[in-house]
Amino acid sequence: METPLKITPPPYAEQALALLEQAGFEAWYVGGCVRDAMLGRPPEDWDITTNALPGETSSCFQDFPCIDTGLKHGTVTAVEITTFRSDGVYTDHRHPEAVEFSKTLTEDLSRRDFTINAMAYHPARGLMDPFDGLSDLKNRILRCVGDPARRFSEDALRILRCLRFSSVLGFAIDPATAEALRSLRELLLAISHERVREELSKLLSGKITDSVLRDYDSVIFTVLPELASMKGCTQETPYHCFDVWEHTLHALAAVPQIPVLRWAALFHDCGKPAVKSFSSDGTAHFYRHEKKSLELAKRCLTRLRFSRRETETICTLISCHGEPFPISEKRLKRLLGKLGNELLFSLFDLMGGDIAAQAPFLYAERSRAITEAKELTEKLLQQEDCLTLRDLAVNGNDLMELGIPPGPIMGSVLEALLEQVLDGELANEKSVLLEEAEKRRLSFSGRE
Ligand code: ATP
Ligand code: MG
């Protein structure tokens, strides 16, 4: 068999393959690692498929505790070894009823999802490619192995995997595969929210995400119905040149390929259709749309079982994205105190994407405002200014000594002192702050 491209697996994968073969079994690199190696992308993990049964595989490795069979270990690229198998019947669009071990590699390859994922490679025997995945790889096409409708009905997650590979690799989807995934999209409702989330996060962080979302919007709206009303929601304002959905896709494409940022871009304006209003001259307004976007995003993120931390990050970005330009030093200090350095720079990234998707005449000015805000933030960070209650030169104990009781009153005094320091009205010095606190204490006790 001709070997069109040379694949160089890491030494531990080579060792695993050699051990199986030395014991008399047949073993091949298979699936994503073959695809990625041929594309010149570093594979996430190395999968080996073998005719050794699981017990036989384990005994091959019993003297090599550092090579786990079937176990992924941490950040080290893992080797996963599985026995040639064929899937039984699927009844729930998610899982095969039973997995049967099979005798042949071809049978194992035929249960795999796409032709580019259904190739196996062996350093001596070369490439095993019964479905002509190599042509599809060269032509950058995603095509189901076998009948697309049947394959998507067996396991609906493949619908999202297809869009994900298209987005990440920049591949087109073969028309028959595209038609089947569109018409069977409702089957995605049977897939667990966690798996949908994982696929969507990868899909959103791809390189042609915007065109995949545009071409397959009906699939996306099936799993994220909260987004559907953006499509066709026109924006009759001088600041916009696209409808809300098209604006969203442009903004998303213009932010870095980082999942939380892409999710925030996807949701940032999704509340607009619900709050759209017109003034008498026919201009559209979207007052307080951030709040509505936030509400819809929270609903989606909760349903998809995002961690609390990721939810908070995404939601903070959404609720702050409408910060008016230019951003004053006072505002920046508050944002820096509230968001912290890292998240504030993510917010600048999101705002950068947002303005790149607005009317072009605004771009130069707004982009300059963001650059200036970044520079000012760097300066503030170097100055080690007081930004949060923690940085304040007085704390709760100091105020207790003045006779201010712990509780809401103390909280409001500390907040008020911080506001004055942030506004530059008071120096962040203990004596100055204690004096002001004393004034506030007297005014409180005067009111009682
Ligand atoms: P990546 O690791 O980059 O996410 P991958 O293609 O390696 O992509 P994995 O989930 O690691 O994806 O799966 C490894 C291989 O198993 C795939 O290349 C494919 O051959 C097969 N496979 C995975 N999931 C499915 C599925 N749902 N249906 C059919 N085959 C699948
Ligand atoms: Mg993989």
Side-chain angles (χ1 to χ4, degrees), residues 32 44-45 47:
E44 295 240 337
D45 36 41
D47 293 331

Side-chain angles (χ1 to χ4, degrees), residues 31-32 35 47 111-113 117 155 158 161 164-165:
R35 174 200 72 218
D47 293 331
R111 70 166 174 95
R112 293 174 184 269
D113 45 10
N117 288 345
D155 177 1
R158 291 172 188 155
R161 280 176 60 87
R164 184 253 286 197
F165 287 122

Side-chain angles (χ1 to χ4, degrees), residues 351-415:
M351 294 172 89
D354 198 11
I355 62 167
Q358 292 169 349
F361 80 92
L362 290 166
Y363 186 74
E365 187 187 319
R366 294 191 163 181
S367 146
R368 203 175 325 113
I370 294 177
T371 307
E372 281 166 12
K374 284 184 186 168
E375 287 166 0
L376 191 53
T377 306
E378 296 286 5
K379 207 179 88 191
L380 290 173
L381 285 167
Q382 275 168 15
Q383 284 173 359
E384 295 184 350
D385 273 3
C386 167
L387 299 167
T388 65
L389 287 179
R390 250 179 299 126
D391 310 323
L392 214 55
V394 293
N395 61 24
N397 288 333
D398 300 319
L399 299 197
M400 271 194 326
E401 281 178 23
L402 290 181
I404 299 176
I409 293 188
M410 177 179 289
S412 69
V413 173
L414 285 169
E415 283 293 343

Side-chain angles (χ1 to χ4, degrees), residues 316-317 320-321 335 339 343-352:
T316 305
L317 290 171
C320 298
H321 84 267
L335 283 170
L339 272 61
L343 193 53
L344 181 55
F345 277 90
S346 295
L347 179 64
F348 293 146
D349 282 336
L350 178 62
M351 294 172 89

Side-chain angles (χ1 to χ4, degrees), residues 156-171:
L157 189 73
R158 291 172 188 155
I159 295 172
L160 287 185
R161 280 176 60 87
C162 190
L163 300 191
R164 184 253 286 197
F165 287 122
S166 171
S167 171
V168 171
L169 302 174
F171 281 25

Side-chain angles (χ1 to χ4, degrees), residues 100-226:
E100 284 153 27
F101 296 125
S102 73
K103 289 269 176 294
T104 67
L105 174 62
T106 306
E107 221 181 322
D108 179 89
L109 293 175
S110 69
R111 70 166 174 95
R112 293 174 184 269
D113 45 10
F114 306 108
T115 61
I116 61 165
N117 288 345
M119 294 185 276
Y121 176 83
H122 184 279
R125 296 189 292 271
L127 192 71
M128 185 70 146
D129 181 18
F131 306 103
D132 207 10
L134 189 60
S135 295
D136 285 338
L137 199 69
K138 283 184 179 153
N139 296 322
R140 309 172 68 76
I141 288 176
L142 280 153
R143 184 195 314 273
C144 283
V145 171
D147 172 41
R150 180 167 153 224
R151 302 313 308 281
F152 291 131
S153 306
E154 285 171 354
D155 177 1
L157 189 73
R158 291 172 188 155
I159 295 172
L160 287 185
R161 280 176 60 87
C162 190
L163 300 191
R164 184 253 286 197
F165 287 122
S166 171
S167 171
V168 171
L169 302 174
F171 281 25
I173 302 175
D174 182 70
T177 296
E179 194 198 310
L181 72 80
R182 280 202 188 92
S183 63
L184 293 170
R185 61 183 186 274
E186 302 264 314
L187 298 181
L188 280 170
L189 300 173
I191 300 296
S192 84
H193 297 299
E194 289 83 353
R195 296 176 83 197
V196 169
R197 177 193 68 222
E198 287 308 298
E199 285 306 322
L200 284 179
S201 283
K202 291 180 187 171
L203 191 169
L204 289 177
S205 313
K207 62 178 177 194
I208 59 156
T209 305
D210 51 335
S211 75
V212 173
L213 295 182
R214 184 178 295 113
D215 294 345
Y216 299 94
D217 52 9
S218 63
V219 180
I220 300 303
F221 298 155
T222 302
V223 279
L224 298 171
E226 290 84 351

